[in-house]
Amino acid sequence: MFTLHSSNGLGSHRAGVIHPVPLAVLMASTMLAGTPVLAADTSGAVRDVGEIVVTASKREENIQKVAMSIQAIDSKKLNQLNITNFQDYVKFMPSVGFQTFAPSQTTIYMRGVVDGGNANHSGPLPSVGAYLDEQPITTIGGTLDIHVYDIARVEVLPGPQGTLYGASSESGTIRIITNKPSTAAFAGALNVEGNTVAHGGQGYVAEGFVNIPLSSRAAIRIVAFDEHDAGYIDNVPGARPFKLTGTTLSNAALVKNNFNHVDTYGGRAALKFDLNDNWTIMPTVVAQDTRAPGVFGFQPSVGDLQVQRFQPDAYHDRWVQAALNITGKIGRFDLTYSGGYFNRKVNSLSDYTDYTVAYEQIGSGTGWVDNAGALLPTPVQEIVGRDRFEKGSNELRIASPATDRLRFIAGVFQERQSHWIIQDYLIQGLGSQVSVPGWPQTIWLTDQDRVDRDEAVFAEASFDVTSHLTLTGGIRGYHYKNSLYGFYGFSAAESSHTGVAICIPGLTFRDAPCVDLNKTVSASGETHKINLNYKIDDNKLVYFTYSTGYRSGGVNRNGGGLLPPYQADHLDNFEIGWKTSWLDHTLHFNGAIYDEEWHKFQFSFLGINSLTIVENAPQARIQGLETSFDWRATPQFTLSGGGAYNHAVLTTNFCGADPVTGVVIPTCTDSAAQAIHGQQLPYTPKFKGNVTARYAFEMAGWNAHVQGSLFYQTMAFAALRTADNASLGTMPGYATADFSAGVEHDKTSIEVFIKNAFDERGQQNRYTPCTTNVCAPVGGYATVAPAIYVVPIQPLTVGVKVGQKF
């Protein structure tokens, strides 16, 4: 949680670099966390920390007055911390964890509410909601890695937000709030950055915005950016043996250094039009295009930051978000309409040779053949993916004046998201007799449509019992309906329980050979919130919250309809928190203690044929503490930071499902359990924290500063099941440090920065491309090392950024 001045400052920076820059100068800054840019103050007076206004409760409020846990970084601090993307700002959000494979292929978690599932396209919805301004942008395909520039603030709301934000806010919500057009005056800025990454290449960022008043009642704001992130993973020479034919495959044609670079460009346009003093219309369009060849995990068995890939890897993600916000008054009441249309297209190529080689090593099957029935000498596999998302959302809400003793917010919400999924598993030269009909050389095909629908009514009311005591209650009634329709599986020659062998007569879908999947699940329910807030004085408050969250249920793909649908899971949160200001507002100290019960949570894992299975499995409990501080020690020196401790464990054994009925086995002994009670939930370090120090001073007529940040987190698991953890290993704890120094004069600024200054190889993920007992068995194979990939934090990065305001 950070409390800072709000402004229209510029965010800028990405990664890249190797050659150390003025380390002596940068190391002089204390290794701690950052706060607002400050000019030297010769008056001797200590000014307060300042404030940030948030809209977490769907009203504009000072963060220190909101009786809930909020972690927020405003535009000025985004700029000071050189933040341009998710990987940058998540370091400063102690309550946030994540599982990532590459940019925009990241699943976010909060407070340790994590199942460690494989984020499959047909699996559970996320448990954390993502919003761009008022519009939900949560997708099953991974949280959007939005370029952070000209952003008012990033808000993180840990804990269930089911009352105001709905289904995918079971364990929290993350909101990116953009700067809005202003009729006050013309404004603009341009930032240019160059950087280089240790063990890798060079990168750059160019970004700018312009705010143009069109009249006294209208203004437009336009943002554009272009970013190249340097690669640092090398695809090195290697060979793979094929057991059945005795042949060897070489990747010589694909060898390349730094092959995981990323190119991103995009922009935003917003028009604000005041119809009169009470009504405002604001349409907005945001678009982004990201291209990322290569992979972002290295293979420890091959070498540091090295892999051996045998087919092309590529990822092309482009999306557009169009929104319309209308705000106004009806009598004393504020009325807000927010509508959005979101369209996302992802094309991908993924080398799947690891699976082919491993499948032969364990002696499964008789191999893949050509049209003549002869074994293919090198049956390499590649996955061609095409994902098409469409989301439409509408929310209408009314709010009474915030100054009323009894005040309320009430509204209705509707959302529909569709996802057309194609996963085409190609084997070069595969015979037509075993290929999926109509799809040459395809051994497995997923061609299906997923639709997730959510409708809700909600209300939240607060009553000032006394001038110090406020009671708040909220409720949300919801209905969801989720479906999967289409085709998945093999040809009839390859399988009798998936694909063509179980076609449903009379149904068709796009170019699929038939339909073998037609499932729908729906349910209704409600979530609740009770909050008691006591204001000790104008500078201090304490609160108690009981809140609940939910995540919609869904359907299992499985041959013959064996596994039943999985139901919604629920989270109960009991929380005590505090917001305090001390020392004449020069110190803010906030925090929360919580106890969360996660009931029959949705656990997804790979089963037979590496097909994702989802079960409402065990129970879990999370007990934790999160805290933050901002201290303006002197007019020139500021210190801030935060930390979170989470004891997140299973409270019952996970016993798996009956192989015949598919029903979850309720109890079992520890020796028979797939995951034992007391197991730490994955991707959740017990402790994660950061601290930043910033010193501002005058130098030759320029406002100068030095800054240092230190980050630390403890070890984490990469899976929930015991056998998976034995194969994958754990992600060790690590510490990193960032440093920066810069000057500013008039409207010009120059910044030099170092990220991951000591080139730590912190691990963000460990994974294998198929089931661990096939691709990464304990002990490995005699001729092939286990296919384990480690996604590291970005190596040492050094850069220079120049900014000019207009």
Side-chain angles (χ1 to χ4, degrees):
M1 287 169 265
F2 298 90
T3 309
L4 310 169
H5 284 293
S6 179
S7 91
N8 290 339
L10 307 178
S12 148
H13 164 69
R14 186 41 136 157
V17 176
I18 175 168
H19 311 295
V21 151
L23 252 187
V25 173
L26 299 176
M27 297 263 297
S29 66
T30 313
M31 285 186 231
L32 304 168
T35 60
V37 170
L38 303 173
D41 187 338
T42 58
S43 68
V46 177
R47 295 173 293 186
D48 63 24
V49 172
E51 69 178 43
I52 181 170
V53 174
V54 297
T55 52
S57 60
K58 301 203 172 182
R59 297 180 187 269
E60 290 191 350
E61 296 177 279
N62 180 348
I63 191 173
Q64 289 299 110
K65 306 298 182 182
V66 184
M68 62 185 292
S69 182
I70 306 173
Q71 300 168 13
I73 309 178
D74 77 344
S75 59
K76 182 173 285 188
K77 193 159 188 176
L78 289 168
N79 185 44
Q80 292 173 358
L81 298 174
N82 296 307
I83 289 173
T84 61
N85 57 31
F86 172 79
Q87 296 285 346
D88 287 337
Y89 67 72
V90 75
K91 296 186 295 187
F92 298 93
M93 302 296 192
S95 297
V96 180
F98 60 94
Q99 175 190 19
T100 187
F101 298 93
S104 291
Q105 299 177 57
T106 300
T107 303
I108 299 177
Y109 308 112
M110 287 193 193
R111 287 186 173 175
V113 181
V114 186
D115 60 32
N118 59 351
N120 182 266
H121 49 68
S122 300
L125 289 164
S127 64
V128 172
Y131 280 72
L132 179 59
D133 290 321
E134 292 286 332
Q135 284 69 43
I137 54 172
T138 314
T139 72
I140 195 68
T143 302
L144 297 180
D145 196 350
I146 296 173
H147 180 79
V148 179
Y149 175 71
D150 194 43
I151 297 298
R153 63 190 174 274
V154 177
E155 297 179 2
V156 166
L157 318 179
Q161 307 296 323
T163 300
L164 293 180
Y165 292 97
S168 282
S169 292
E170 178 182 36
S171 64
T173 300
I174 188 164
R175 306 176 71 228
I176 296 178
I177 311 299
T178 62
N179 284 321
K180 304 302 187 290
S182 172
T183 58
F186 173 86
L190 176 66
N191 280 0
V192 178
E193 175 193 317
N195 54 62
T196 183
V197 176
H199 322 288
Q202 287 71 48
Y204 66 82
V205 180
E207 54 196 3
F209 85 90
V210 61
N211 181 87
I212 306 172
L214 303 176
S215 70
S216 62
R217 291 192 177 275
I220 189 170
R221 195 178 190 98
I222 300 172
V223 178
F225 59 88
D226 183 12
E227 179 177 2
H228 174 75
D229 299 326
Y232 47 86
I233 303 290
D234 298 336
N235 191 23
V236 300
R240 292 290 182 271
F242 287 92
K243 183 178 178 181
L244 294 179
T245 60
T247 54
T248 299
L249 175 69
S250 170
N251 69 343
L254 295 173
V255 168
K256 186 177 182 180
N257 290 336
N258 312 324
F259 84 138
N260 67 320
H261 61 269
V262 183
D263 288 289
T264 303
Y265 69 91
R268 181 174 77 246
L271 173 66
K272 180 182 179 182
F273 184 66
D274 296 326
L275 300 177
N276 52 44
D277 292 341
N278 292 325
W279 287 89
T280 297
I281 297 177
M282 187 164 59
T284 304
V285 177
V286 186
Q288 185 168 303
D289 188 299
T290 300
R291 297 172 186 262
V295 295
F296 287 76
F298 69 92
Q299 295 173 278
S301 60
V302 176
D304 182 40
L305 302 178
Q306 294 181 337
V307 294
Q308 292 174 344
R309 304 290 283 180
F310 296 84
Q311 292 288 287
D313 292 284
Y315 187 80
H316 185 194
D317 182 5
R318 58 249 194 240
W319 56 268
V320 60
Q321 165 80 39
L324 176 64
N325 290 305
I326 303 173
T327 58
K329 283 186 174 294
I330 299 179
R332 299 178 64 249
F333 301 102
D334 295 323
L335 189 70
T336 301
Y337 166 76
S338 178
Y341 172 75
F342 174 75
N343 185 290
R344 183 183 190 186
K345 299 179 180 179
V346 179
N347 289 352
S348 60
L349 297 174
S350 302
D351 179 20
Y352 207 47
T353 304
D354 290 325
Y355 174 78
T356 307
V357 173
Y359 194 64
E360 284 196 357
Q361 292 290 324
I362 62 175
S364 298
T366 56
W368 289 282
V369 298
D370 60 18
N371 284 327
L375 286 175
L376 292 171
T378 55
V380 293
Q381 267 193 81
E382 183 172 33
I383 306 172
V384 179
R386 296 196 296 276
D387 296 88
R388 302 292 184 264
F389 300 86
E390 280 192 281
K391 180 196 288 281
S393 64
N394 295 278
E395 180 174 295
L396 180 66
R397 65 180 185 268
I398 189 169
S400 62
T403 55
D404 286 359
R405 185 178 183 185
L406 174 63
R407 51 201 176 273
F408 69 86
I409 295 176
V412 294
F413 174 80
Q414 173 272 332
E415 176 183 86
R416 182 185 188 276
Q417 176 173 277
S418 64
H419 181 190
W420 176 26
I421 308 156
I422 290 184
Q423 294 279 288
D424 183 3
Y425 290 69
L426 292 172
I427 299 180
Q428 297 173 14
L430 186 69
S432 59
Q433 69 273 32
V434 290
S435 298
V436 173
W439 292 74
Q441 303 184 102
T442 295
I443 187 67
W444 172 285
L445 174 68
T446 297
D447 185 358
Q448 63 188 40
D449 198 31
R450 172 177 184 157
V451 181
D452 297 288
R453 309 166 185 85
D454 183 23
E455 300 166 347
V457 294
F458 61 90
E460 189 169 288
S462 298
F463 177 68
D464 295 329
V465 181
T466 71
S467 59
H468 292 274
L469 184 65
T470 300
L471 176 66
T472 299
I475 188 170
R476 187 183 188 98
Y478 63 82
H479 174 77
Y480 67 81
K481 182 179 180 181
N482 301 332
S483 61
L484 284 173
Y485 181 86
F487 178 86
Y488 75 102
F490 296 104
S491 67
E494 280 290 302
S495 174
S496 62
H497 58 275
T498 62
V500 176
I502 57 169
C503 285
I504 302 172
L507 299 180
T508 60
F509 179 70
R510 298 185 184 265
D511 295 327
C514 65
V515 170
D516 63 349
L517 177 63
N518 183 16
K519 295 183 177 182
T520 301
V521 63
S522 64
S524 300
E526 58 188 42
T527 60
H528 311 88
K529 174 183 177 180
I530 297 174
N531 175 276
L532 196 61
N533 163 26
Y534 183 74
K535 298 179 181 67
I536 300 172
D537 55 36
D538 289 342
N539 301 318
K540 303 174 185 66
L541 67 83
V542 293
Y543 67 86
F544 166 78
T545 297
Y546 166 69
S547 57
T548 63
Y550 78 101
R551 177 170 49 165
S552 301
V555 299
N556 269 298
R557 302 183 301 166
N558 53 284
L562 180 65
L563 290 173
Y566 55 93
Q567 303 304 311
D569 56 11
H570 299 85
L571 186 70
D572 291 337
N573 173 58
F574 301 87
E575 180 176 330
I576 296 173
W578 61 91
K579 298 282 185 74
T580 63
S581 298
W582 305 83
L583 304 177
D584 196 24
H585 298 280
T586 61
L587 172 64
H588 289 172
F589 176 56
N590 303 332
I593 301 171
Y594 45 88
D595 187 340
E596 300 188 338
E597 303 283 345
W598 198 11
H599 303 285
K600 294 185 177 180
F601 65 79
Q602 299 165 10
F603 176 48
S604 60
F605 57 93
L606 296 178
I608 297 174
N609 296 320
S610 292
L611 187 66
T612 295
I613 296 173
V614 186
E615 298 178 356
N616 290 96
Q619 307 283 109
R621 185 178 188 182
I622 301 95
Q623 296 172 305
L625 164 70
E626 57 198 14
T627 187
S628 70
F629 69 92
D630 286 279
W631 182 33
R632 186 76 169 272
T634 72
Q636 294 79 32
F637 180 70
T638 55
L639 188 68
S640 64
Y645 171 83
N646 285 290
H647 181 65
V649 297
L650 286 180
T651 55
T652 60
N653 287 348
F654 173 52
C655 305
D658 185 289
V660 177
T661 66
V663 176
V664 174
I665 301 170
T667 60
C668 58
T669 63
D670 289 356
S671 60
Q674 295 188 23
I676 300 173
H677 63 94
Q679 167 66 42
Q680 181 178 328
L681 298 184
Y683 297 101
T684 302
K686 284 197 171 182
F687 176 79
K688 176 185 176 184
N690 68 87
V691 63
T692 298
R694 184 180 183 92
Y695 184 74
F697 56 96
E698 185 177 343
M699 183 177 68
W702 288 64
N703 295 326
H705 64 270
V706 290
Q707 179 176 281
S709 299
L710 178 67
F711 316 92
Y712 174 72
Q713 70 176 52
T714 56
M715 63 82 63
F717 291 95
L720 182 67
R721 295 191 296 181
T722 303
D724 291 340
N725 280 319
S727 295
L728 293 172
T730 59
M731 295 179 286
Y734 63 90
T736 67
D738 294 351
F739 301 104
S740 63
V743 293
E744 182 177 359
H745 178 70
D746 195 12
K747 296 182 179 182
T748 302
S749 61
I750 303 172
E751 183 94 0
V752 178
F753 60 85
I754 298 180
K755 294 189 175 184
N756 191 7
F758 305 108
D759 200 25
E760 290 294 317
R761 203 68 74 237
Q763 297 185 14
Q764 298 178 319
N765 196 8
R766 296 178 69 94
Y767 70 92
T768 190
C770 66
T771 52
T772 55
N773 65 325
V774 174
C775 283
V778 175
Y781 301 109
T783 56
V784 180
I788 295 174
Y789 292 78
V790 173
V791 180
I793 61 175
Q794 185 163 292
L796 165 68
T797 299
V798 178
V800 178
K801 177 176 64 177
V802 178
Q804 180 66 50
K805 298 177 182 178
F806 306 103

